[in-house]
Amino acid sequence: MAKTETIRTIVGIIGNVISFGLFLSPVPTFVKIWKAKTVMQFKPDPYVVTALNCAVWVFYGMPFVHPDSLLVVTINGIGLVIELIYVSIFFIYAEWPKRKKIIIYLIIEVILLGIVIFVTLNFLHGTKNRSMLVGILAIIFNILMYASPLTVMRRVISTKSVEYMPFYLSLANFANGCIWFAYAFLKFDPYILVPNGLGVLSGAVQLILYAKYYKSTNWDDVGKSSEIELPRNLATA
């Protein structure tokens, strides 16, 4: 038992490192925004949604909701801070219509998170019941986040080009899903297992598509359409 816990801790630490790298993957985008003093065609949606996702996972990992989940709290706490920084930068350089959208989204998220916390702490007793509610919500949010990679994968198939699906990001997504799947399997946690199982599947499909369409990609044109946003399967634990 002690050996399993040790292995799980090591796996969780590795997962934190990989997930941290994924959280930092949009940095070039925001450097570009900062230099241009405009958000161009980038959208705030992925960062606002990811902030809520991280907040839900942080709450899920609290001792009074799901004990022994410190590594879930650490990476998603870090992720929450990073995503809020992204949102803040976006807000500074966006025009009013996009700022208004961000404000509305954040208000809705704060209200939703407040309702979840209130219901969990006041109407659910015991960590099993609390884990079930928060875990199911976290799974739903994670599944919704897979819409972005699906869109890009459809584009890869239609254009027979992997220009907008970088190999190392796809590989990191796959590795992230694998490591957190293993973490959840070692001490069975279906609420972490399910979304990361989907993450493994999504990452594997991306790598297969990359291998299939690598040769048909016109690499001379890569990088010219720099305002297309890249997908990320963010940390789901």
Side-chain angles (χ1 to χ4, degrees):
M1 184 66 181
K3 185 177 180 180
T4 301
E5 284 295 329
T6 301
I7 295 174
R8 185 171 181 265
T9 300
I10 294 172
V11 170
I13 292 173
I14 296 172
N16 270 241
V17 173
I18 296 175
S19 297
F20 182 67
L22 283 175
F23 279 125
L24 292 180
S25 63
V27 167
T29 294
F30 285 91
V31 169
K32 186 181 300 182
I33 289 173
W34 176 72
K35 289 182 176 179
K37 309 300 181 186
T38 174
V39 298
M40 297 171 277
Q41 299 301 313
F42 293 111
K43 297 181 180 180
D45 307 37
Y47 313 105
V48 177
V49 172
T50 303
L52 175 61
N53 185 66
C54 288
V56 172
W57 279 112
V58 168
F59 183 56
Y60 174 83
M62 292 289 105
F64 47 82
V65 176
H66 194 83
D68 302 322
S69 301
L70 176 61
L71 292 172
V72 174
V73 175
T74 54
I75 187 55
N76 284 286
I78 293 171
L80 177 59
V81 172
I82 292 174
E83 296 302 322
L84 290 177
I85 291 173
Y86 292 154
V87 172
S88 299
I89 295 173
F90 201 100
F91 187 86
I92 292 171
Y93 294 111
E95 297 179 352
W96 172 243
K98 288 185 177 180
R99 287 185 178 182
K100 183 179 179 181
K101 187 178 182 180
I102 292 173
I103 293 172
I104 293 173
Y105 279 179
L106 289 177
I107 291 174
I108 292 174
E109 289 186 359
V110 169
I111 293 174
L112 179 60
L113 185 62
I115 292 174
V116 171
I117 293 174
F118 178 79
V119 171
T120 301
L121 297 183
N122 288 278
F123 296 99
L124 297 178
H125 304 289
T127 56
K128 183 178 181 179
N129 292 329
R130 290 175 174 177
S131 296
M132 181 181 297
L133 173 64
V134 182
I136 290 174
L137 289 175
I139 289 175
I140 292 173
F141 290 139
N142 278 128
I143 291 175
L144 292 176
M145 288 174 63
Y146 289 129
S148 176
L150 288 174
T151 300
V152 175
M153 283 188 274
R154 184 170 65 246
R155 179 184 296 170
V156 168
I157 295 171
S158 63
T159 62
K160 293 180 171 53
S161 171
V162 295
E163 177 180 357
Y164 301 118
M165 194 174 69
F167 172 75
Y168 289 109
L169 186 55
S170 297
L171 182 62
N173 283 326
F174 178 71
N176 184 69
C178 287
I179 201 72
W180 284 110
F181 184 88
Y183 176 86
F185 186 80
L186 286 169
K187 186 176 180 180
F188 189 72
D189 186 337
Y191 308 112
I192 295 179
L193 196 72
V194 171
N196 284 286
L198 294 174
V200 172
L201 179 61
S202 174
V205 172
Q206 290 178 49
L207 293 176
I208 291 171
L209 289 176
Y210 194 93
K212 182 176 181 179
Y213 294 112
Y214 177 83
K215 291 185 178 180
S216 60
T217 300
N218 186 353
W219 293 104
D220 292 334
D221 292 336
V222 172
K224 292 182 179 180
S225 302
S226 59
E227 293 185 2
I228 301 296
E229 189 144 20
L230 301 177
R232 295 177 296 151
N233 287 343
L234 293 165
T236 55

